[in-house]
Amino acid sequence: MRKPLLSVMALGAITAGAHAQSNVALYGIVDAGVVAERGGAAGNLTKVTSGVGSVSRLGLKGNEDLGGGLSALFVLESGFKVDSGESDVAGALFNRQAFVGLSSRDAGTLTLGRQKTTLYKALAEVGDPFGLGYAGSAKNLFPIGGSNTRTSNTIAYATPQVAGWSGEATYSLGEQPGNQAAGRQYGAAVAYQNGDLNTRLVYNSRNSDNALPGTAPASHDLGRNVLLVANYDFHVVKAFFAYGQDKGYNSAVLPVANAYGDATPPKPTTDSRDLLIGASIPVGARGTVMTSYLHKDDRQWRQDASQYAVGYSYAWSRRTSTYAAYARINNRNGAGYTVGNDGEAGSGNAAFNLGVRHSF
């Protein structure tokens, strides 16, 4: 797996150097840290791991000016583990993103391939002061994971921004013979950005039916998510807000089995509400304090949970930073939510991170 990946990336680097006019760039993030997890069913765990603040990745991206305000673009991005050198998804080369498309200055951007969902981008880019990374990641309680993060076989369209307004829509084909609806997913987002205010409203629909030959057929109701996110920069502090509604099958899947190993495992809810209130505070010229409060309101099983988190990042340069973060989840009525980070779901109800992140 690593040899093909290195070959592809080496070829990309050579291509970028030999044909600079094609605007092909090699980029990536290398992130590793020490993580101490507490409260897990199997006991406490301390480890060196990868992708704590941001999943480690290596990618190629490029564009070509076609004239008249039209350009072609592509992205190929693979995730890997710094602690072991392995791909973070076995058997997948460009598991994070792989798409190609056309972008028009006046008409917007159309792309095809494996891409991020509108739900994931809204929470990561607008709603979460931790950017879905570190111990304080909103993924610990919000329904971000699996196909709610990225989808394959996706058609995506994004409008240009007009007077602060913009929109985006995605449609992911299930590609199951005989049933066009099985496995498909679609999302839409409306965004408004003006000065210090940034807001986004998102809808996501997921069909979890199975119609593949040779498998037992399955039929479920749709999983639906509505998410409103916003942030406002007061300059002395940046305030964050997110509120979500999750309804239907697979609308809010638990990230792991159970943090405490109870005799009766917690059940994924089909009716819940998610709340985030947070802030990022600049400290000096290079430091940033991040903090947030999250709450999961389970309307079906009453397995509620709350998370308290605080973190600190220090930027040594534009590309290199060190960080520390701590978060704790209070689970109720048998809930089993765990404190993870950007790359892992975690094993306990509390975790501390200490690490370094370098981008290029």
Side-chain angles (χ1 to χ4, degrees):
M1 180 63 200
R2 284 177 288 176
K3 289 183 179 179
L5 175 61
L6 290 174
S7 299
V8 171
M9 294 308 175
L11 178 61
I14 293 170
T15 303
H19 303 283
Q21 70 272 18
S22 298
N23 295 320
V24 177
L26 177 70
Y27 69 94
I29 294 174
V30 184
D31 182 307
V34 177
V35 173
E37 298 175 349
R38 299 295 181 261
N44 297 335
L45 175 65
T46 300
K47 58 186 176 181
V48 173
T49 193
S50 177
V52 180
S54 302
V55 169
S56 299
R57 67 201 67 172
L58 195 60
L60 286 169
K61 61 182 177 181
N63 64 78
E64 180 186 12
D65 188 352
L66 302 176
L70 183 67
S71 61
L73 70 144
F74 78 90
V75 171
L76 299 171
E77 185 177 288
S78 176
F80 63 91
K81 299 179 181 180
V82 178
D83 53 323
S84 64
E86 302 171 291
S87 170
D88 61 5
V89 177
L93 182 56
F94 297 114
N95 56 291
R96 291 184 55 80
Q97 295 187 92
F99 63 83
V100 64
L102 295 172
S103 180
S104 166
R105 183 175 56 240
D106 301 319
T109 302
L110 180 68
T111 50
L112 305 171
R114 180 166 175 80
Q115 304 176 64
K116 298 175 183 177
T117 66
T118 55
L119 192 71
Y120 173 85
K121 288 197 287 186
L123 200 54
E125 298 170 4
V126 182
D128 185 6
F130 289 89
L132 296 183
Y134 314 101
S137 171
K139 289 192 291 186
N140 296 336
L141 294 185
F142 277 68
I144 301 296
S147 65
N148 280 348
T149 301
R150 295 172 185 82
T151 50
S152 299
N153 314 312
T154 298
I155 305 166
Y157 170 71
T159 72
Q161 190 178 77
V162 178
W165 292 93
S166 61
E168 186 176 4
T170 62
Y171 186 89
S172 305
L173 285 74
E175 299 190 355
Q176 300 188 27
N179 190 335
Q180 295 296 313
R184 74 181 177 189
Q185 185 167 335
Y186 55 88
V190 177
Y192 179 74
Q193 187 172 6
N194 186 5
D196 297 322
L197 176 66
N198 193 357
T199 65
R200 203 173 297 182
L201 178 64
V202 178
Y203 176 79
N204 184 74
S205 176
R206 176 182 179 183
N207 185 312
S208 299
D209 291 356
N210 179 18
L212 293 172
T215 62
S219 181
H220 308 281
D221 62 330
L222 295 176
R224 305 173 305 281
N225 306 97
V226 178
L227 177 68
L228 174 65
V229 294
N231 66 59
Y232 191 90
D233 193 350
F234 294 94
H235 301 284
V236 293
V237 60
K238 190 173 185 178
F240 292 80
F241 172 83
Y243 182 79
Q245 181 184 77
D246 320 309
K247 285 201 162 189
Y249 184 80
N250 270 345
S251 64
V253 178
L254 290 170
V256 293
N258 189 349
Y260 303 105
D262 293 343
T264 303
K267 311 179 197 71
T269 178
T270 59
D271 187 3
S272 63
R273 306 293 184 271
D274 313 301
L275 173 68
L276 180 152
I277 300 172
S280 64
I281 306 164
V283 180
R286 298 185 176 184
T288 304
V289 171
M290 303 161 284
T291 184
S292 66
Y293 166 79
L294 280 66
H295 181 71
K296 167 71 74 173
D297 178 13
D298 183 346
R299 305 286 179 92
Q300 183 180 15
W301 308 112
R302 303 301 174 188
Q303 293 182 334
D304 298 348
S306 297
Q307 174 178 287
Y308 305 85
V310 63
Y312 176 75
S313 175
Y314 184 84
W316 296 94
S317 68
R318 291 183 62 185
R319 299 190 299 170
T320 303
S321 62
T322 50
Y323 55 81
Y326 174 81
R328 181 180 181 85
I329 292 177
N330 295 328
N331 287 294
R332 302 181 182 90
N333 302 322
Y337 296 97
T338 52
V339 177
N341 49 62
D342 195 18
E344 297 174 330
S347 64
N349 71 319
F352 174 76
N353 312 152
L354 183 64
V356 59
R357 177 184 182 274
H358 176 79
S359 61
F360 59 91

CSV table of all heavy atoms in Angstrom, one decimal, residues 140-172:
chain,number,residue,atom,x,y,z
A,140,ASN,N,-17.5,14.0,18.9
A,140,ASN,CA,-17.7,13.1,20.1
A,140,ASN,C,-19.2,13.0,20.4
A,140,ASN,O,-19.6,11.9,20.9
A,140,ASN,CB,-17.0,13.6,21.3
A,140,ASN,CG,-15.4,13.6,21.1
A,140,ASN,OD1,-14.9,12.8,20.3
A,140,ASN,ND2,-14.7,14.4,21.8
A,141,LEU,N,-20.0,14.0,20.1
A,141,LEU,CA,-21.4,13.9,20.4
A,141,LEU,C,-22.3,14.2,19.1
A,141,LEU,O,-23.4,13.7,19.0
A,141,LEU,CB,-21.8,14.9,21.5
A,141,LEU,CG,-21.3,14.6,22.9
A,141,LEU,CD1,-21.9,15.6,23.9
A,141,LEU,CD2,-21.6,13.2,23.3
A,142,PHE,N,-21.8,15.0,18.2
A,142,PHE,CA,-22.6,15.3,17.0
A,142,PHE,C,-22.5,14.1,16.0
A,142,PHE,O,-21.5,13.4,16.0
A,142,PHE,CB,-22.1,16.6,16.3
A,142,PHE,CG,-22.6,17.9,16.9
A,142,PHE,CD1,-22.3,18.2,18.2
A,142,PHE,CD2,-23.5,18.7,16.2
A,142,PHE,CE1,-22.8,19.4,18.8
A,142,PHE,CE2,-24.0,19.8,16.7
A,142,PHE,CZ,-23.7,20.2,18.0
A,143,PRO,N,-23.4,14.0,15.1
A,143,PRO,CA,-23.5,12.8,14.2
A,143,PRO,C,-22.6,13.0,13.0
A,143,PRO,O,-23.0,12.9,11.9
A,143,PRO,CB,-24.9,12.7,13.8
A,143,PRO,CG,-25.4,14.2,13.8
A,143,PRO,CD,-24.7,14.8,15.0
A,144,ILE,N,-21.2,13.1,13.3
A,144,ILE,CA,-20.3,13.2,12.2
A,144,ILE,C,-19.4,12.0,12.2
A,144,ILE,O,-18.6,11.8,13.2
A,144,ILE,CB,-19.4,14.5,12.4
A,144,ILE,CG1,-20.3,15.7,12.4
A,144,ILE,CG2,-18.4,14.6,11.3
A,144,ILE,CD1,-21.0,16.0,11.1
A,145,GLY,N,-19.5,11.1,11.2
A,145,GLY,CA,-18.7,9.9,11.2
A,145,GLY,C,-19.2,9.1,10.0
A,145,GLY,O,-20.4,9.2,9.6
A,146,GLY,N,-18.4,8.2,9.5
A,146,GLY,CA,-18.8,7.3,8.4
A,146,GLY,C,-19.2,8.1,7.2
A,146,GLY,O,-18.5,9.0,6.8
A,147,SER,N,-20.4,7.8,6.6
A,147,SER,CA,-20.8,8.5,5.4
A,147,SER,C,-21.4,9.9,5.7
A,147,SER,O,-21.8,10.6,4.7
A,147,SER,CB,-21.9,7.6,4.7
A,147,SER,OG,-23.1,7.5,5.5
A,148,ASN,N,-21.5,10.3,6.9
A,148,ASN,CA,-21.8,11.7,7.2
A,148,ASN,C,-20.6,12.6,7.1
A,148,ASN,O,-20.7,13.8,7.3
A,148,ASN,CB,-22.4,11.8,8.6
A,148,ASN,CG,-23.9,11.4,8.6
A,148,ASN,OD1,-24.5,11.3,7.6
A,148,ASN,ND2,-24.5,11.3,9.8
A,149,THR,N,-19.4,12.0,6.9
A,149,THR,CA,-18.2,12.7,6.8
A,149,THR,C,-17.8,12.9,5.3
A,149,THR,O,-17.6,14.0,4.8
A,149,THR,CB,-17.0,12.0,7.5
A,149,THR,OG1,-17.3,11.9,8.9
A,149,THR,CG2,-15.7,12.8,7.4
A,150,ARG,N,-17.7,11.8,4.6
A,150,ARG,CA,-17.4,11.8,3.2
A,150,ARG,C,-18.2,10.8,2.5
A,150,ARG,O,-18.5,9.8,3.0
A,150,ARG,CB,-15.9,11.5,2.9
A,150,ARG,CG,-14.9,12.6,3.5
A,150,ARG,CD,-13.5,12.2,3.3
A,150,ARG,NE,-12.6,13.1,4.0
A,150,ARG,CZ,-12.4,13.2,5.3
A,150,ARG,NH1,-12.9,12.3,6.1
A,150,ARG,NH2,-11.6,14.1,5.8
A,151,THR,N,-18.5,11.0,1.2
A,151,THR,CA,-19.3,10.1,0.4
A,151,THR,C,-18.6,9.9,-0.9
A,151,THR,O,-18.1,10.8,-1.5
A,151,THR,CB,-20.7,10.6,0.2
A,151,THR,OG1,-20.7,11.9,-0.3
A,151,THR,CG2,-21.5,10.6,1.5
A,152,SER,N,-18.7,8.6,-1.4
A,152,SER,CA,-18.2,8.3,-2.7
A,152,SER,C,-19.3,8.5,-3.7
A,152,SER,O,-20.4,8.7,-3.4
A,152,SER,CB,-17.7,6.8,-2.7
A,152,SER,OG,-16.6,6.7,-1.8
A,153,ASN,N,-18.9,8.4,-5.0
A,153,ASN,CA,-19.9,8.5,-6.1
A,153,ASN,C,-20.7,9.8,-6.0
A,153,ASN,O,-21.9,9.7,-6.2
A,153,ASN,CB,-20.8,7.3,-6.1
A,153,ASN,CG,-20.0,6.0,-6.0
A,153,ASN,OD1,-19.0,5.8,-6.6
A,153,ASN,ND2,-20.5,5.1,-5.1
A,154,THR,N,-20.1,10.9,-5.7
A,154,THR,CA,-20.8,12.1,-5.4
A,154,THR,C,-20.7,13.2,-6.5
A,154,THR,O,-19.6,13.4,-7.0
A,154,THR,CB,-20.3,12.7,-4.1
A,154,THR,OG1,-20.5,11.8,-3.0
A,154,THR,CG2,-21.0,14.0,-3.7
A,155,ILE,N,-21.8,13.8,-6.8
A,155,ILE,CA,-21.9,15.0,-7.6
A,155,ILE,C,-22.2,16.2,-6.7
A,155,ILE,O,-23.1,16.2,-5.9
A,155,ILE,CB,-23.1,14.8,-8.6
A,155,ILE,CG1,-23.0,13.5,-9.4
A,155,ILE,CG2,-23.1,16.1,-9.5
A,155,ILE,CD1,-24.2,13.2,-10.2
A,156,ALA,N,-21.3,17.1,-6.8
A,156,ALA,CA,-21.4,18.3,-5.9
A,156,ALA,C,-21.4,19.6,-6.7
A,156,ALA,O,-20.6,19.7,-7.7
A,156,ALA,CB,-20.3,18.3,-4.9
A,157,TYR,N,-22.2,20.5,-6.3
A,157,TYR,CA,-22.3,21.8,-7.0
A,157,TYR,C,-22.3,22.9,-5.9
A,157,TYR,O,-23.0,22.9,-4.9
A,157,TYR,CB,-23.6,22.0,-7.8
A,157,TYR,CG,-23.8,23.4,-8.3
A,157,TYR,CD1,-22.9,23.9,-9.3
A,157,TYR,CD2,-24.7,24.2,-7.8
A,157,TYR,CE1,-23.1,25.2,-9.8
A,157,TYR,CE2,-24.9,25.5,-8.2
A,157,TYR,CZ,-24.1,26.0,-9.2
A,157,TYR,OH,-24.2,27.3,-9.6
A,158,ALA,N,-21.4,23.9,-6.1
A,158,ALA,CA,-21.3,25.1,-5.2
A,158,ALA,C,-21.5,26.4,-6.0
A,158,ALA,O,-20.9,26.5,-7.1
A,158,ALA,CB,-20.0,25.1,-4.5
A,159,THR,N,-22.4,27.3,-5.5
A,159,THR,CA,-22.6,28.5,-6.2
A,159,THR,C,-21.5,29.5,-5.9
A,159,THR,O,-20.8,29.4,-4.9
A,159,THR,CB,-24.0,29.1,-5.8
A,159,THR,OG1,-23.8,29.6,-4.4
A,159,THR,CG2,-25.1,28.1,-5.8
A,160,PRO,N,-21.4,30.6,-6.7
A,160,PRO,CA,-20.5,31.7,-6.4
A,160,PRO,C,-21.2,32.4,-5.2
A,160,PRO,O,-22.4,32.3,-4.9
A,160,PRO,CB,-20.5,32.6,-7.6
A,160,PRO,CG,-21.1,31.7,-8.7
A,160,PRO,CD,-22.0,30.7,-8.1
A,161,GLN,N,-20.4,33.2,-4.5
A,161,GLN,CA,-20.9,34.0,-3.4
A,161,GLN,C,-21.5,35.3,-4.0
A,161,GLN,O,-20.8,36.0,-4.8
A,161,GLN,CB,-19.9,34.3,-2.4
A,161,GLN,CG,-20.4,35.0,-1.1
A,161,GLN,CD,-19.3,35.2,-0.1
A,161,GLN,OE1,-18.6,36.2,-0.2
A,161,GLN,NE2,-19.3,34.4,1.0
A,162,VAL,N,-22.7,35.7,-3.6
A,162,VAL,CA,-23.4,36.9,-4.1
A,162,VAL,C,-23.9,37.7,-2.9
A,162,VAL,O,-24.8,37.2,-2.2
A,162,VAL,CB,-24.5,36.6,-5.1
A,162,VAL,CG1,-25.2,37.9,-5.5
A,162,VAL,CG2,-24.0,35.8,-6.3
A,163,ALA,N,-23.3,38.9,-2.7
A,163,ALA,CA,-23.8,39.7,-1.5
A,163,ALA,C,-23.7,38.9,-0.2
A,163,ALA,O,-24.5,39.1,0.7
A,163,ALA,CB,-25.2,40.2,-1.8
A,164,GLY,N,-22.7,38.1,-0.1
A,164,GLY,CA,-22.5,37.4,1.2
A,164,GLY,C,-23.2,36.0,1.2
A,164,GLY,O,-22.9,35.2,2.0
A,165,TRP,N,-24.1,35.7,0.2
A,165,TRP,CA,-24.9,34.5,0.2
A,165,TRP,C,-24.2,33.5,-0.8
A,165,TRP,O,-23.7,33.8,-1.8
A,165,TRP,CB,-26.3,34.7,-0.3
A,165,TRP,CG,-27.1,35.5,0.7
A,165,TRP,CD1,-27.3,36.9,0.8
A,165,TRP,CD2,-27.8,35.0,1.8
A,165,TRP,NE1,-28.1,37.2,1.8
A,165,TRP,CE2,-28.5,36.1,2.5
A,165,TRP,CE3,-28.1,33.7,2.3
A,165,TRP,CZ2,-29.2,35.9,3.6
A,165,TRP,CZ3,-28.8,33.5,3.5
A,165,TRP,CH2,-29.4,34.6,4.1
A,166,SER,N,-24.3,32.2,-0.4
A,166,SER,CA,-23.8,31.1,-1.3
A,166,SER,C,-24.6,29.9,-0.9
A,166,SER,O,-25.2,29.7,0.1
A,166,SER,CB,-22.3,30.9,-1.1
A,166,SER,OG,-22.0,30.5,0.2
A,167,GLY,N,-24.5,28.9,-1.8
A,167,GLY,CA,-25.2,27.6,-1.6
A,167,GLY,C,-24.4,26.4,-2.1
A,167,GLY,O,-23.4,26.6,-2.9
A,168,GLU,N,-24.7,25.2,-1.6
A,168,GLU,CA,-24.0,24.0,-2.1
A,168,GLU,C,-25.0,22.9,-2.0
A,168,GLU,O,-25.9,22.8,-1.1
A,168,GLU,CB,-22.8,23.8,-1.2
A,168,GLU,CG,-22.0,22.6,-1.6
A,168,GLU,CD,-20.7,22.4,-0.7
A,168,GLU,OE1,-20.6,23.2,0.3
A,168,GLU,OE2,-19.9,21.5,-1.1
A,169,ALA,N,-24.9,21.9,-2.9
A,169,ALA,CA,-25.7,20.7,-3.0
A,169,ALA,C,-24.9,19.5,-3.4
A,169,ALA,O,-24.0,19.7,-4.2
A,169,ALA,CB,-26.9,20.9,-3.9
A,170,THR,N,-25.1,18.4,-2.7
A,170,THR,CA,-24.4,17.1,-3.1
A,170,THR,C,-25.4,16.0,-3.3
A,170,THR,O,-26.5,16.0,-2.6
A,170,THR,CB,-23.4,16.7,-2.0
A,170,THR,OG1,-24.1,16.5,-0.8
A,170,THR,CG2,-22.4,17.8,-1.8
A,171,TYR,N,-25.1,15.1,-4.2
A,171,TYR,CA,-25.9,13.9,-4.4
A,171,TYR,C,-25.0,12.7,-4.6
A,171,TYR,O,-24.2,12.7,-5.5
A,171,TYR,CB,-26.8,14.1,-5.6
A,171,TYR,CG,-27.8,13.0,-5.8
A,171,TYR,CD1,-29.1,13.0,-5.2
A,171,TYR,CD2,-27.5,11.9,-6.6
A,171,TYR,CE1,-30.0,12.0,-5.4
A,171,TYR,CE2,-28.4,10.8,-6.8
A,171,TYR,CZ,-29.6,10.9,-6.2
A,171,TYR,OH,-30.5,9.8,-6.4
A,172,SER,N,-25.1,11.7,-3.7
A,172,SER,CA,-24.3,10.6,-3.8
A,172,SER,C,-25.1,9.3,-4.2
A,172,SER,O,-26.1,9.0,-3.5
A,172,SER,CB,-23.6,10.3,-2.4
A,172,SER,OG,-22.9,11.5,-2.0
